[in-house]
Every structure is written in structure tokens, then in C-alpha cells.
Amino acid sequence: MKKIWFPVTLGFLVFIVSFQLLKDEPAKEARVLSSSSPKNTEVTNIGTEWVKDDLESAPIKKNYTPATVVGENDGTGIRPDRIVIPSIEVDAKVQAKGYTKDGGMAVPDSVTDVGWFEPGTEPGRRGNAVIAGHVDGQYGPAVFFDLKKLQSGDELHVYDKKGNRLTYTVQEVVAYPVDQAPIRKLFGPTNKKALNLITCTGTYDKSAGGYLERLAVYTVLTDRTKA
Amino acid sequence: MKKLLASLSAVVLILGMFAPSVFAKDHADMAKVRGLHASPDAPAVDVYVDGNAVVEGAEFKAATDYMELPAGEHQVEIYAAGTKGSQDPVISANVNVEAGMAYTAAAINTLENLELKAIQDSMEAAEGKSKVRVGHFIPGAPAVDVGLVGRDAIFSGAEFPMVTDYKELDPGTYDLEVRTTDGTQLIDLSGTTLEGSKVYSAFAVGTADNPEVLLLEDSAAMPTSMPKTGFGGANDSNALLAATALGLAAMGAGFVIFRRRSEA
């Protein structure tokens, strides 16, 4: 009868080992899923270039990230009405959304519409415009379910009500643990005309009622077409 | 009995795996600092903080983005570009930064009288309002007003090397000018667009003969947390189920082997 413990223990061990191997480990660091640059571009800089110094004729090394400067070429913005991402077959209505009661970013209740962060930048202008959408609803996939499949170089289009079209190109796809998401990098000042898409990813935490990671797709404006 | 203990410890192990993981990294004790080269006749510079190069080759009028520094005291050394190791720093200063605060550290005045001026920056504007301040970093230039062309001053009597308090304005496009306090226009800033929920710093730099304005965007509308973009309806995390199935299968196989052995 004692030997009954052998199969039971074996079963437990197999359970432990397979669970450890199978479970989605909540990431503790950002994961770059796709990037147009060879390395992790968490730190963006203007690159190392050699420029002539006016005062000394020796070349100097230049390496820093410039501040956000307001200029003449800041561009005109549109109020987004529709977003189309051909590579993952998304064609969704865009709602203008603001803050939640706690000061977070509000998103549509709908799982087929996406939300543009209206207090922030209008698409087309210099700055970080942000559009967020659900990855899933209570019972199945939602509008941004396939967002993680986007690759750097993929294009997407944002339209206003009149049909003016902005084309953005994906630069980088990164998943962040939710409490480490770089809010200033996603929403804050920038010299680029950027559009950042956000959805949930990673493990769903039932007790907290939310996903443990956020997926960020960084895109920049590459074309404008008038209606 | 030993085996029972072993099984119990396995149960403890399993429970342990479900304990919530704690994320160690914490941004709460960091300060934000950016640099501004506002000395018109100084060469390009390298900036070292606590001995580490943080900015290289910043020329006159260069402003860097905010960099994160741990709160506390830091040694800031500024060298003419590429001269660390061969020359003394042009500025060496200790600066103290507080957690959660943002600062601009500006190298100002002429090369001969070079100094480091640290000012605290605002990171938040009231919703739908623009916040602006003006810094006078033109050595040798008179006190200035900043206002709408030919109209009342919004900022008046700013002297070198002063930075005004922030003022709240309605967002919009303004025809602004920097002028002497007696009304002579120094810099034309017609068509300056200020957006809602953004914070700006307008730093006047250069020389009295060649003044210009660097208009920096310090902050924009940002939520306090990331959006909640999922309800878990399509989360495919069924590791527990799969592991349980495998475990039960192994247990079953164990029983079969055990039975065969005892039959043999």
C-alpha cells in the first residue's frame, strides 16, 4: 500500500514541471516584439554623428536626445474618425475619449470601436497621438486582438469624417508590464509626428480583473492624402 | 510518513507558484533633468553626471530631452567637447534633485562668466489650458517684455538671467513678440501655436545683436495610468489545465507500472 505514493508523487512532479514550463510568466521587463532598428530602442537618441565644431576644427562626437522644440513644421491635425490596418484586417470606428475618474485614459465600452485620447495630440500634428482598443471582450477577441502581429514597416491609415487620410508606418512593437509602461514616451512631448496604438497583452489576472501587460505599437506619419 | 511530508511540500510548492509576483523596478524615487546650452560664445560641450557621460557634443542652442536621475546629490561636470582627461571642466557643480521633480539645468552667460542655472519645471497644465513661462538667457541684453504684438505684455520686465513663473493661457495661435520694456521689438514670434494641456518654456538665447527664442514643450496631456483594454474573454492561458492533465496522466501511468510490477 505504501507504494501508492510513487505514482502520486510522480504525478505531482510532472504537474509542477509542466506547469512551470507552460505558464505565461508575467514579464518583469519590456519585451520588444518588433523593431525597425537593430537593437532595443528603448533609449532613442539622435545617433552618434561626427560634426565639425565651429571653434575647434577637430570633429566632436554628438550623442544626446534633443528636447521637444515647437517649430513651424508642426503640421495640421485631424479628428480621427476611422482607423484601417490592412495587415491585420482592422477597420474600426474611432471614438474621442478623455480621462477616467481616476485620471487614467478612458476607452470605449464597445469591443469593436477604438478610443482616441482627445486631450492629447491630434493625429497629423507633431506629438504623440494615442489610440487604444480592446484585445478581447468577456467572451472573445476584440478589435485589437491581432495588434501583436504587427511588424515594423507595416502601414496603417487614419481618416477624418471628410475622408482626409494619414498614413503611419510601424516603427516598433513592445509589450510592457502594466506598471512599467512608459506613459511619457507614449503620451508626452516628442518632435515626431507619432501615433501610438495601445492594447492589453500578456496574462489576464482574474483577481485584479485586468491584463498584466500593455502592448504598444509605435508608428510615425509617413504620408498625407487629401480627400 | 516521509513520503506524506514530501507530498505536502509539493503542495506548498504549488501554492507558492500562484503567489502574485512583485515588480521590483520603481520610478518613484527618480527626478527628471534636461540640459540647455545657452552660452552664445561657449564651445560644444560634454556633460558628465557622477563621472558618466550623459550628453556629448551639445552646441549652443542645444536642449536635451529629460533624463532620469536618482533623487539626491549629483556632481555635474561640463567639459568643452572631447576634452575630459586633458582639460579642466568649464563648470563643476553639485546639484541636488528631488524625487518626482523635473528640472532644467542651463549653462548660461558668456564663456568667461559661464554659470550653471538650475530651475524647476512644471509637468502639468490644467486640463484644456496652456502654461507658458519665459527665460531671459541673453547676456548683455536689456530687460524684456513678452506680449502680443503692439498690445499689453503678458510677461513684463524679465531681466537676464531670470525665468518667470508659469502663466496660464487659453490654447490658440498668438502673434507674440519679445520687446524691450520701452516697446522696441527684439524677436518676432508671430503665429506661435499653444496647445491645451501643454506646458511650454520660451528661452530667449543668443546675443543682444542676434537674439532668438527656443520654445520647448515641457509636458503634454498624459493620463495617470494605462487604459484598461481587455476583459480576459480570449486569454489563452490554460497552462493549469494542461499541467493538471499531464500530471494525472503521469499518475495513471505510474499506477499501471506499479500494478504490473506487483503482478509480475
Side-chain angles (χ1 to χ4, degrees), chain A:
Chain A
M1 192 56 212
K2 263 187 185 176
K3 284 187 180 164
I4 195 169
W5 289 110
F6 163 70
V8 171
T9 314
L10 179 71
F12 265 127
L13 281 173
V14 169
F15 170 77
I16 291 165
V17 171
S18 54
F19 183 76
Q20 287 289 11
L21 291 176
L22 289 171
K23 73 172 176 170
D24 278 338
E25 189 78 52
K28 293 190 172 68
E29 283 178 0
R31 296 179 287 132
V32 179
L33 305 185
S34 177
S35 175
S36 52
S37 49
K39 279 181 199 161
N40 183 344
T41 52
E42 254 287 65
V43 178
T44 49
N45 60 44
I46 55 169
T48 302
E49 58 177 284
W50 295 88
V51 292
K52 284 272 182 191
D53 187 356
D54 295 338
L55 298 165
E56 327 213 23
S57 51
I60 57 160
K61 192 180 168 198
K62 201 168 186 174
N63 190 9
Y64 62 90
T65 308
T68 303
V69 182
V70 178
E72 285 161 15
N73 302 317
D74 288 351
T76 47
I78 63 165
R79 289 185 64 83
D81 178 59
R82 191 174 145 227
I83 183 170
V84 177
I85 314 176
S87 57
I88 54 170
E89 291 172 7
V90 167
D91 185 342
K93 175 110 184 121
V94 181
Q95 296 181 18
K97 300 301 275 188
Y99 294 97
T100 61
K101 260 186 272 171
D102 309 324
M105 179 185 170
V107 283
D109 294 330
S110 158
V111 293
T112 52
D113 290 3
V114 295
W116 162 56
F117 186 58
E118 192 184 16
T121 303
E122 286 184 343
R125 265 190 78 74
R126 180 191 49 74
N128 281 312
V130 177
I131 289 179
H134 290 287
V135 68
D136 61 13
Q138 307 274 6
Y139 308 108
V143 57
F144 273 176
F145 184 73
D146 287 326
L147 208 62
K148 61 174 177 278
K149 291 182 186 161
L150 282 177
Q151 297 283 325
S152 61
D154 286 352
E155 290 191 339
L156 61 96
H157 311 290
V158 176
Y159 296 85
D160 66 6
K161 279 211 167 99
K162 291 175 200 150
N164 293 306
R165 186 176 86 163
L166 300 174
T167 300
Y168 288 85
T169 304
V170 175
Q171 305 296 300
E172 201 177 14
V173 183
V174 190
Y176 301 100
V178 63
D179 57 350
Q180 283 178 38
I183 289 178
R184 192 178 162 97
K185 186 183 175 187
L186 285 161
F187 291 84
T190 176
N191 289 311
K192 293 175 194 158
K193 295 182 179 90
L195 170 66
N196 303 323
L197 309 179
I198 300 174
T199 193
C200 283
T201 192
T203 313
Y204 187 78
D205 181 352
K206 278 203 182 83
S207 58
Y211 277 89
L212 296 177
E213 291 182 70
R214 293 294 179 274
L215 187 78
V217 177
Y218 295 94
T219 79
V220 293
L221 185 68
T222 44
D223 193 37
R224 284 175 194 268
T225 313
K226 288 229 170 205

Side-chain angles (χ1 to χ4, degrees), chain B residues 57-129:
Chain B
E59 295 169 297
F60 168 57
K61 287 196 288 184
T64 76
D65 197 4
Y66 288 100
M67 295 169 279
E68 294 222 311
L69 274 186
E73 195 168 75
H74 299 278
Q75 188 195 28
V76 176
E77 290 170 304
I78 302 177
Y79 292 88
T83 65
K84 184 177 159 74
S86 60
Q87 285 177 30
D88 288 337
V90 290
I91 294 176
S92 176
N94 285 328
V95 296
N96 201 20
V97 293
E98 278 180 56
M101 299 294 179
Y103 304 86
T104 301
I108 60 163
N109 214 333
T110 56
L111 180 57
E112 202 179 327
N113 301 306
L114 198 63
E115 56 186 301
L116 190 66
K117 185 178 173 78
I119 45 175
Q120 203 173 310
D121 304 343
S122 169
M123 288 286 105
E124 205 176 2
E127 207 187 326
K129 291 282 188 180

Side-chain angles (χ1 to χ4, degrees), chain B residues 126-132 168-174 192-198 200:
Chain B
E127 207 187 326
K129 291 282 188 180
S130 308
K131 241 165 102 175
V132 194
E168 210 168 71
L169 297 174
D170 287 325
T173 300
Y174 293 91
T192 301
T193 300
L194 303 177
E195 294 178 77
S197 306
K198 288 193 173 179
Y200 300 91

Side-chain angles (χ1 to χ4, degrees), chain B residues 138-253:
Chain B
I138 305 174
V144 297
D145 289 351
V146 177
L148 291 166
V149 174
R151 308 249 305 269
D152 286 349
I154 299 168
F155 301 93
S156 47
E159 286 175 12
F160 176 82
M162 172 182 146
V163 179
T164 68
D165 287 339
Y166 285 98
K167 275 210 172 149
E168 210 168 71
L169 297 174
D170 287 325
T173 300
Y174 293 91
D175 288 333
L176 295 171
E177 63 175 355
V178 179
R179 59 192 180 226
T180 60
T181 45
D182 59 15
T184 310
Q185 189 182 78
L186 295 176
I187 308 165
D188 183 5
L189 295 172
S190 296
T192 301
T193 300
L194 303 177
E195 294 178 77
S197 306
K198 288 193 173 179
V199 181
Y200 300 91
S201 291
F203 293 121
V205 296
T207 59
D209 295 334
N210 195 10
E212 52 190 303
V213 163
L214 266 178
L215 184 56
L216 304 184
E217 192 180 305
D218 304 349
S219 183
M222 282 181 270
T224 52
S225 61
M226 294 293 281
K228 288 201 164 151
T229 43
F231 297 99
N235 192 251
D236 49 5
S237 181
N238 46 15
L240 187 62
L241 211 66
T244 308
L246 280 172
L248 287 174
M251 207 184 289

